[in-house]
Every structure is written in structure tokens, then in C-alpha cells.
Amino acid sequence: MSFTLAKTERLAAILSQSPVIPVLTFEDAASGVETAKALRDGGLKVLEVTLRTPASMEALKAIIDEVEGVTVGAGTVLEPEHVQDAVRVGAAFLISPGVSSRLLAAGSEAPVPFMPGVATASEAMQLAERGATFAKFFPAGPAGGPDYLKALVAPLPDLHFVPTGGITLKNAQDYLAVRNVAAVGGSWVAPTDAIRNGDWAAIRALAKEASALKAR
């Protein structure tokens, strides 16, 4: 149950493509495809499709199959079965809000990069012991925000984070300015109402704003 150098390098390359990773939840595949196109056209080309709805796997597959120029991963990966299903449809990476022993085993053995979530220094240390270089920091706001991540730089200098949970355009740059933050995840770039109303222009504009942010 370790993180290989090859997959770590692949994840680093993915995260370097964008300062913001949209965290997306879809009720149907068609809206997933159109949302992905709008985000791509706005400059965000790394997408996380959460496995929170009955249509999520179908939406994930549709985006992978139909939208060119994006790198698409599965989020809210909670079970080994999620790992298997997401890999089968072509997910480029896997993200979990936390980690269990079963999920860690399945995720670290998957053929694509797996980024588990942490909320404490102890959880981060456990991942670092297994060779992890990246972790999701969730829920970022309640767990301590940018100041907490700054405090982890000294004891865990080789571990980098993708904070998610409570991230907005207003505070995203505060996180991105921290040395151990690789990117941020956020749902603000694709609001539920805009997806339901088919307001792709609004999503495209939000993506353009987000893509202009700068990671340290």
C-alpha cells in the first residue's frame, strides 16, 4: 500500500495544469458534457466529477468520451468499488475526502493516481509514511484554512495539498499563496443553478476568473 513515483509524477503533472479544480456534481450526463465544455473554454481543463448521484458515473464517462482537451477524474471516491468503476470508464485520477484501510489499499493499487483526503497532521503523517506527496485537505475551511496548512510546511515539507471545502473566488488566492498548496478544489465555478438552467456562459465566465488565479 504505497504511492509509486510514476503515479506521483503523473498527479503532479495533472495538478500543474490549473490552479483550480472544479468539483462537479451532476444529475445527468448531458449537463455534465455541456458544463465540462464551458469550463474548458473558460480555461479550466482539469475536472473532478464527484460520485454523489446515481448519474455520476454516466456523466463521468460521457465527459471522458465526448469532451476533448480536459483531464477528468473521479471525486468522492469512498469504496473500492468506486475505484474499480471509475478506472473502468477512464478516469485519469481518483480523489477521496478521507481514507480508510480498504480504500487506501484499492486506491494505491489502482493504475491511475489516487489522492486521499486528510484533515489533521496525524492523517497527513500516515500518508507521508506511505510515500504520498499529495493529499486533499478537506474540509479546508472548518479544518483550519490557510493558516493550518502553513503550520504543516515545517514538519511535512514534502507533502502538498489540494484544499477543498469552503473555497471561493474570494479566498482561493489565500490558499494558493501557501507554499504547500498545489491547487484548490471548488464548486463555485459551476453553481448548481447555472447547471440546471443551462447557463453555460456564466460558467465559462466563472472559469475564466478562476483560471487567472496563480499558484505559488
Side-chain angles (χ1 to χ4, degrees), residues 133-144:
T133 304
F134 296 97
K136 177 172 180 170
F137 181 59
F138 178 84

Side-chain angles (χ1 to χ4, degrees), residues 115-138:
M115 185 165 61
V118 302
T120 68
S122 294
E123 293 168 348
M125 287 173 62
Q126 290 171 16
L127 288 183
E129 283 183 354
R130 291 173 168 83
T133 304
F134 296 97
K136 177 172 180 170
F137 181 59
F138 178 84

Side-chain angles (χ1 to χ4, degrees), residues 67-177:
V67 183
E68 296 182 358
V70 293
T71 302
V72 191
T76 319
V77 174
L78 304 177
E79 303 287 345
E81 293 76 14
H82 289 164
V83 173
Q84 297 161 8
D85 292 344
V87 169
R88 187 181 66 250
V89 302
F93 59 91
L94 309 168
I95 300 180
S96 171
V99 71
S100 66
S101 57
R102 291 173 64 244
L103 184 59
L104 182 59
S108 60
E109 293 168 4
V112 299
F114 169 55
M115 185 165 61
V118 302
T120 68
S122 294
E123 293 168 348
M125 287 173 62
Q126 290 171 16
L127 288 183
E129 283 183 354
R130 291 173 168 83
T133 304
F134 296 97
K136 177 172 180 170
F137 181 59
F138 178 84
D147 287 341
Y148 192 93
L149 291 171
K150 288 177 187 176
L152 294 181
V153 172
L156 297 168
D158 297 325
L159 192 59
H160 294 78
F161 298 92
V162 178
T164 307
I167 312 293
T168 66
L169 179 63
K170 183 178 290 188
N171 65 15
Q173 194 63 66
D174 294 337
Y175 284 92
L176 290 168

